[in-house]
Amino acid sequence: MHLHRFHGGLDLPGHKAESTDGGLRRLPPPARLYLSVLQHAGLPAEPCVAAGDDVVRGQRIAIAEGGAGADLHSPVTGRVGAIEGRPLPGTSGIEVPHIVIEAADEGPVQSLPALPEDADADTLRARIRDAGVVGLGGAGFPTAGKLAATRATLVINGAECEPWIACDDALLREHAHEVVRGARLMARASGAARVLLAVEDSMREALAACSAAVQAFGQDLVELVAVPTRYPEGGERQLIQVLTGQEVPRGGLPRDIGVIVLNVATVRAAWRAVVLGEALFERVVTVTGPGVAKPGNFIVPLGMRVSDLVEHAGGYTPGARRLMLGGPMMGTALPHDDFAVGKTHNCVLVLGEAQLRRDDDEMPCIRCGDCASACPSRLLPQQLLWQARAGRLDEARGQGLFDCIECGCCDLACPSHIPLTQQFRLAKGELLARDADAANAEAARLRFEGRRERLERESREREARLAARKAAASPDAVAAALERARAKRAASDDAGERP
């Protein structure tokens, strides 16, 4: 298969071996789990349990209202201790309801009825929706919604390009057969005639496992493709370009060119939901970095706190300096380790002093253009930076600010150590807030104009009713009415006198 190249990107040193040597390890649930009702793109799910309720493993505890979200299921058998507000990572302290479950000893498991792998597309999508499956690569889009429209090509994304994250690598080494069988199911659910399983060429053990699984279960439908290891190739737009040579249009989505991209862990979760009736209540998480004693890849129940995860990885080392949720390039720095792991969280990374950049290292831009050469979205970061800092945000929007995928390539390429990505995030946030204010103002204007039109219409209707009553009370109208009454009475008398 002929591969293509995307613009820019970086060759980054890999650090997957630090966590993959021990294989996958399943963690026991802690005494208490904290499950956010917003673990997906869309609206928060509505809790369908209350404090004091007993729950079993696999039971639905929150429901996606209106289909714009994903259901949530309990990872353990236990009791609901509370429903309380807790902040989510990267949300500036905004609190979201969390269902707190106090785990009990091993108990019953609530499963969905198993379905055959040759079930029709509607049945498959309904099951995937009922199991609460969302994109496990980070975006968290409800998977059933992505599968709803027919696509020609299905891409299974195993290009795990962040240098420290290895959860997909570890998953493919041990469960490639479930991923391949899941790929066939996803092709049926989406109507795709072509399935490409993309794995980075540096993930040799995972490639070998996938090759064996494709031969055993691919049925001439799933094609394994080894793609070059280059950051940020795991981004769906970059991966689509590498595999097909097509570029997703600005402001568009992969579906606009007939492609759907699903993460390997998402595909496996969907297969387990269909064939085993298992809801999505756990995921693989990489815990790594020089700041943890025993890095590894763990099967983690959703709702486990970061502090519990780090403890299972041997605890912090004396050199731990920064805690992150996600990779070093696109992850979120955490102020503490009391946050809970959700469906979209694939890595807990603890960095040391050597991996950090000092805040006072920034120097003036020298207009070298290295950031533009590295940008995979073909943007001009130095121009966007000037516009953002000058407050010319509308111009930055026109220059493609929202096409920035916040991959951090420009930051690493910049010899002046300017935090470009951080500035772009701030500019996007300000524009989104401005857009929200404008939308609210427009909604208020429409409500005001609608009320004014309603009052004017009611006033016209009242005037018309008054005019009609006045017309009915005029002398001519009264005389005409009396004449009609006399004529009716006369006609009645005449009818009574006839033999």
Side-chain angles (χ1 to χ4, degrees):
M1 177 178 178
H2 176 67
L3 298 179
H4 307 266
R5 285 201 61 174
F6 62 91
H7 181 269
L10 298 170
D11 292 321
L12 301 178
H15 294 280
K16 297 184 187 295
E18 284 87 336
S19 63
T20 52
D21 288 344
L24 284 177
R25 286 175 276 172
R26 181 177 297 276
L27 297 185
R32 189 171 285 108
L33 296 168
Y34 301 84
L35 293 125
S36 165
V37 298
L38 186 58
Q39 300 191 28
H40 50 264
L43 301 175
E46 290 292 330
C48 56
V49 293
D53 288 353
D54 291 326
V55 296
V56 299
R57 188 170 185 252
Q59 177 182 335
R60 184 167 60 176
I61 57 176
I63 302 173
E65 297 290 343
D71 293 351
L72 183 64
H73 302 78
S74 175
V76 295
T77 295
R79 176 168 294 179
V80 178
I83 299 178
E84 61 184 31
R86 291 171 61 91
L88 291 178
T91 57
S92 301
I94 298 174
E95 292 193 343
V96 172
H98 284 61
I99 302 173
V100 183
I101 299 181
E102 298 168 353
D105 294 333
E106 286 294 327
V109 178
Q110 188 176 105
S111 299
L112 300 165
L115 296 176
E117 294 190 52
D118 60 354
D120 63 83
D122 290 339
T123 301
L124 293 175
R125 290 194 295 268
R127 167 53 57 83
I128 292 167
R129 180 176 60 252
D130 291 342
V133 179
V134 303
L136 299 180
F141 290 109
T143 303
K146 289 187 74 171
L147 296 168
T150 301
R151 308 285 190 272
T153 302
L154 169 63
V155 175
I156 310 300
N157 188 355
E160 195 172 40
C161 55
E162 282 261 17
W164 288 91
I165 303 178
C167 56
D168 290 345
D169 190 345
L171 179 73
L172 288 172
R173 293 185 187 197
E174 298 189 21
H175 299 289
H177 64 288
E178 294 185 1
V179 173
V180 172
R181 294 176 72 177
R184 285 170 32 212
L185 280 182
M186 297 304 95
R188 176 182 288 273
S190 64
R194 185 187 188 198
V195 181
L196 302 176
L197 171 56
V199 180
E200 288 188 330
D201 55 12
S202 61
M203 298 162 56
R204 287 185 286 273
E205 291 85 353
L207 275 170
C210 288
S211 178
V214 167
Q215 291 179 16
F217 302 106
Q219 297 182 350
D220 298 326
L221 175 64
V222 181
E223 180 181 355
L224 176 63
V225 184
V227 295
T229 301
R230 186 172 178 81
Y231 179 82
E233 194 169 56
E236 64 178 12
R237 291 170 181 257
Q238 286 70 42
L239 186 57
I240 289 171
Q241 187 173 356
V242 168
L243 294 173
T244 69
Q246 296 178 278
E247 293 190 47
V248 179
R250 172 175 287 189
L253 295 170
R255 66 187 182 197
D256 299 329
I257 58 174
V259 180
I260 178 174
V261 181
L262 297 174
N263 174 263
V264 291
T266 307
V267 172
R268 177 180 181 251
W271 181 82
R272 295 182 70 85
V274 171
V275 176
L276 305 180
E278 182 180 282
L280 177 58
F281 48 68
E282 63 184 19
R283 67 155 301 144
V284 179
V285 179
T286 300
V287 184
T288 189
V292 292
K294 298 178 181 179
N297 290 279
F298 305 95
I299 301 173
V300 177
L302 301 179
M304 179 180 276
R305 293 180 304 170
V306 171
S307 57
D308 296 323
L309 260 175
V310 174
E311 182 180 347
H312 282 288
Y316 297 105
T317 66
R321 291 293 179 270
R322 177 170 295 172
L323 176 64
M324 300 191 69
L325 201 55
M329 301 298 292
M330 301 181 71
T332 301
L334 299 181
H336 54 76
D337 58 9
D338 196 39
F339 293 99
V341 171
K343 296 178 182 180
T344 60
H345 301 143
N346 56 6
C347 179
V348 173
L349 174 64
V350 187
L351 298 175
E353 191 69 38
Q355 290 78 42
L356 302 183
R357 177 183 291 180
R358 292 176 52 183
D359 294 335
D360 58 356
D361 279 352
E362 180 179 344
M363 296 178 288
C365 174
I366 60 174
R367 311 291 288 184
C368 64
D370 286 354
C371 55
S373 299
C375 178
S377 299
R378 298 180 183 272
L379 301 177
L380 297 175
Q382 73 272 35
Q383 185 72 11
L384 292 175
L385 177 70
W386 176 79
Q387 291 167 335
R389 288 184 168 175
R392 305 174 71 163
L393 299 184
D394 290 327
E395 293 182 22
R397 188 202 300 264
Q399 290 284 331
L401 175 63
F402 282 95
D403 290 332
C404 169
I405 62 174
E406 301 179 16
C407 64
C409 285
C410 54
D411 290 357
L412 279 186
C414 178
S416 295
H417 298 169
I418 300 173
L420 294 147
T421 304
Q422 179 184 2
Q423 189 67 56
F424 300 155
R425 285 175 181 153
L426 293 173
K428 286 182 184 180
E430 187 172 341
L431 279 172
L432 290 173
R434 185 189 299 178
D435 291 346
D437 290 343
N440 291 335
E442 177 65 12
R445 183 186 68 81
L446 293 174
R447 287 196 301 271
F448 172 77
E449 292 183 352
R451 181 177 182 275
R452 184 178 63 185
E453 291 176 1
R454 176 175 57 80
L455 293 175
E456 290 177 352
R457 183 178 67 252
E458 291 174 351
S459 176
R460 291 193 299 268
E461 291 172 352
R462 282 197 302 271
E463 291 175 358
R465 288 195 297 270
L466 288 172
R469 284 199 292 268
K470 288 180 181 179
S474 65
D476 292 341
V478 171
L482 291 173
E483 183 61 31
R484 287 195 300 273
R486 285 194 292 268
K488 184 176 181 181
R489 187 167 55 249
S492 178
D493 292 344
D494 290 344
E497 293 175 357
R498 293 187 187 129

